[in-house]
Amino acid sequence: MSGVIVTGPPKAHGEDVEALAGHSVATVHEAMGRTGLLGPGLRPIQQDTRIAGTAVTVLSRPGDNLMIHAAVEQCGEGDVLVVTTTSPSTDGMFGELFATALRQRGVRGLVINAGIRDTAELRALGFPAWAAAVSAQGTVKATGGSVNVPIAIGGQVIRPGDVILADDDGVVVVPRERARRTAEAAEARERKEAAGRAAFLDGQLSLDRYGLREKLAQLGVTCTSYEDHLRSGEPS
């Protein structure tokens, strides 16, 4: 497998990244029309942590972390390293030493569609990570791959410089050219949810606020007392 290391790709503007960082993965996913999620297979090794940064992408062979070594040089302040493999892998391709080097370079975290190890040490370092597996299985450094090329995880394409947002609920990618308008849409959604939250605290029902009683009626769902339901002969 040959490959390429691309240097200096375009990136989302820093102010747009920081604007997105103020919102949850769920909010940003909804703000983009329910797109961008990298799937439920990527889970955090820590809790109560959210990161946002620009993607440095890695495409590697399974069980081979040579290209992660190559990618460290391409990483800088505000980046998130995003790794996938050419076929499924659960081997522990990333651990404490990589995290130490990346943290020194200002990298905000890792998203890897493969295995990770040294998870206790990563938490102690304060280096956030989302992975498809946790495994102590070691790897080799024997095969070429690519850095800063488009990759795919969970049916979503991640390009170098796209925005990666990750929290307890998962990981979402925002195309770099959509970062600003997605942040604006997320802010609008937050305002709408704040109004809904206030209404529910005041005792309003979601059935009424969202007009769902009419939807139920359109679907033929009826409301009846327990006694009438028993008399109808339907299971109770």
Side-chain angles (χ1 to χ4, degrees), residues 44-51 123 128 130 166-169:
I45 65 164
Q46 66 287 308
Q47 290 185 311
D48 302 324
T49 297
R50 181 189 300 162
I51 64 168
R123 287 190 292 271
W130 286 255
D167 63 17
D168 286 353
D169 292 337

Short mmCIF file of all heavy atoms in Angstrom, two decimals, residues 44-51 123 128 130 166-169:
data_model
loop_
_atom_site.label_atom_id
_atom_site.label_comp_id
_atom_site.label_asym_id
_atom_site.label_seq_id
_atom_site.Cartn_x
_atom_site.Cartn_y
_atom_site.Cartn_z
N PRO A 44 -16.42 7.44 24.11
CA PRO A 44 -15.39 8.15 24.85
C PRO A 44 -14.77 7.28 25.93
O PRO A 44 -15.45 6.43 26.52
CB PRO A 44 -16.14 9.34 25.46
CG PRO A 44 -17.56 8.85 25.60
CD PRO A 44 -17.79 7.92 24.43
N ILE A 45 -13.51 7.50 26.21
CA ILE A 45 -12.85 6.80 27.32
C ILE A 45 -12.96 7.61 28.61
O ILE A 45 -12.48 7.17 29.65
CB ILE A 45 -11.37 6.49 27.02
CG1 ILE A 45 -10.57 7.80 26.88
CG2 ILE A 45 -11.25 5.63 25.76
CD1 ILE A 45 -9.08 7.59 26.96
N GLN A 46 -13.58 8.80 28.53
CA GLN A 46 -13.76 9.67 29.68
C GLN A 46 -15.20 10.18 29.69
O GLN A 46 -15.95 9.91 28.76
CB GLN A 46 -12.77 10.84 29.66
CG GLN A 46 -12.99 11.83 28.51
CD GLN A 46 -12.57 11.31 27.15
OE1 GLN A 46 -11.44 10.86 27.02
NE2 GLN A 46 -13.44 11.38 26.16
N GLN A 47 -15.56 10.91 30.71
CA GLN A 47 -16.91 11.48 30.79
C GLN A 47 -16.82 12.98 31.03
O GLN A 47 -15.80 13.50 31.49
CB GLN A 47 -17.72 10.83 31.91
CG GLN A 47 -18.11 9.39 31.62
CD GLN A 47 -19.01 8.82 32.69
OE1 GLN A 47 -18.72 8.93 33.88
NE2 GLN A 47 -20.12 8.21 32.28
N ASP A 48 -17.93 13.66 30.69
CA ASP A 48 -18.06 15.10 30.96
C ASP A 48 -16.97 15.91 30.26
O ASP A 48 -16.45 16.88 30.82
CB ASP A 48 -18.04 15.37 32.47
CG ASP A 48 -19.14 14.64 33.21
OD1 ASP A 48 -20.25 14.50 32.64
OD2 ASP A 48 -18.91 14.20 34.35
N THR A 49 -16.65 15.51 29.04
CA THR A 49 -15.64 16.22 28.26
C THR A 49 -16.17 16.48 26.87
O THR A 49 -16.76 15.60 26.24
CB THR A 49 -14.34 15.40 28.17
OG1 THR A 49 -13.80 15.22 29.48
CG2 THR A 49 -13.31 16.09 27.30
N ARG A 50 -15.96 17.70 26.39
CA ARG A 50 -16.30 18.05 25.01
C ARG A 50 -15.09 18.71 24.36
O ARG A 50 -14.43 19.54 24.98
CB ARG A 50 -17.49 19.00 24.97
CG ARG A 50 -17.91 19.40 23.54
CD ARG A 50 -18.94 20.52 23.55
NE ARG A 50 -20.15 20.10 24.26
CZ ARG A 50 -21.05 20.96 24.72
NH1 ARG A 50 -20.90 22.26 24.58
NH2 ARG A 50 -22.13 20.50 25.34
N ILE A 51 -14.80 18.33 23.12
CA ILE A 51 -13.73 18.97 22.37
C ILE A 51 -14.24 19.39 21.00
O ILE A 51 -15.19 18.81 20.47
CB ILE A 51 -12.49 18.05 22.20
CG1 ILE A 51 -12.84 16.81 21.36
CG2 ILE A 51 -11.91 17.67 23.56
CD1 ILE A 51 -11.63 16.01 20.91
N ARG A 123 -6.48 9.35 30.51
CA ARG A 123 -7.34 10.15 31.38
C ARG A 123 -6.51 10.98 32.36
O ARG A 123 -6.82 12.15 32.61
CB ARG A 123 -8.33 9.26 32.13
CG ARG A 123 -9.45 8.70 31.24
CD ARG A 123 -10.52 8.02 32.07
NE ARG A 123 -10.05 6.81 32.70
CZ ARG A 123 -10.09 5.60 32.14
NH1 ARG A 123 -10.60 5.45 30.92
NH2 ARG A 123 -9.65 4.55 32.78
N PRO A 128 -8.34 13.71 25.78
CA PRO A 128 -9.60 13.05 25.46
C PRO A 128 -9.48 12.16 24.22
O PRO A 128 -8.77 12.49 23.26
CB PRO A 128 -10.56 14.21 25.19
CG PRO A 128 -9.89 15.43 25.76
CD PRO A 128 -8.42 15.17 25.62
N TRP A 130 -11.85 9.18 21.72
CA TRP A 130 -13.05 8.42 21.33
C TRP A 130 -12.57 7.28 20.44
O TRP A 130 -11.82 7.52 19.47
CB TRP A 130 -14.04 9.30 20.59
CG TRP A 130 -14.77 10.26 21.49
CD1 TRP A 130 -16.07 10.17 21.91
CD2 TRP A 130 -14.25 11.46 22.09
NE1 TRP A 130 -16.39 11.23 22.73
CE2 TRP A 130 -15.29 12.04 22.86
CE3 TRP A 130 -13.00 12.11 22.04
CZ2 TRP A 130 -15.12 13.22 23.57
CZ3 TRP A 130 -12.82 13.28 22.78
CH2 TRP A 130 -13.88 13.83 23.52
N ALA A 166 -16.80 16.43 19.60
CA ALA A 166 -17.01 15.15 20.29
C ALA A 166 -17.37 15.41 21.74
O ALA A 166 -16.81 16.30 22.38
CB ALA A 166 -15.75 14.28 20.20
N ASP A 167 -18.31 14.62 22.25
CA ASP A 167 -18.68 14.69 23.67
C ASP A 167 -19.16 13.32 24.13
O ASP A 167 -18.90 12.31 23.46
CB ASP A 167 -19.70 15.81 23.93
CG ASP A 167 -21.05 15.61 23.22
OD1 ASP A 167 -21.34 14.47 22.78
OD2 ASP A 167 -21.81 16.58 23.10
N ASP A 168 -19.87 13.29 25.26
CA ASP A 168 -20.30 12.00 25.81
C ASP A 168 -21.23 11.23 24.88
O ASP A 168 -21.35 10.01 24.98
CB ASP A 168 -21.03 12.22 27.13
CG ASP A 168 -20.09 12.57 28.27
OD1 ASP A 168 -18.87 12.52 28.07
OD2 ASP A 168 -20.59 12.91 29.36
N ASP A 169 -21.90 11.94 23.97
CA ASP A 169 -22.87 11.29 23.08
C ASP A 169 -22.28 10.79 21.77
O ASP A 169 -22.98 10.11 21.00
CB ASP A 169 -24.01 12.27 22.75
CG ASP A 169 -24.88 12.57 23.97
OD1 ASP A 169 -24.90 11.75 24.90
OD2 ASP A 169 -25.54 13.62 23.99
#
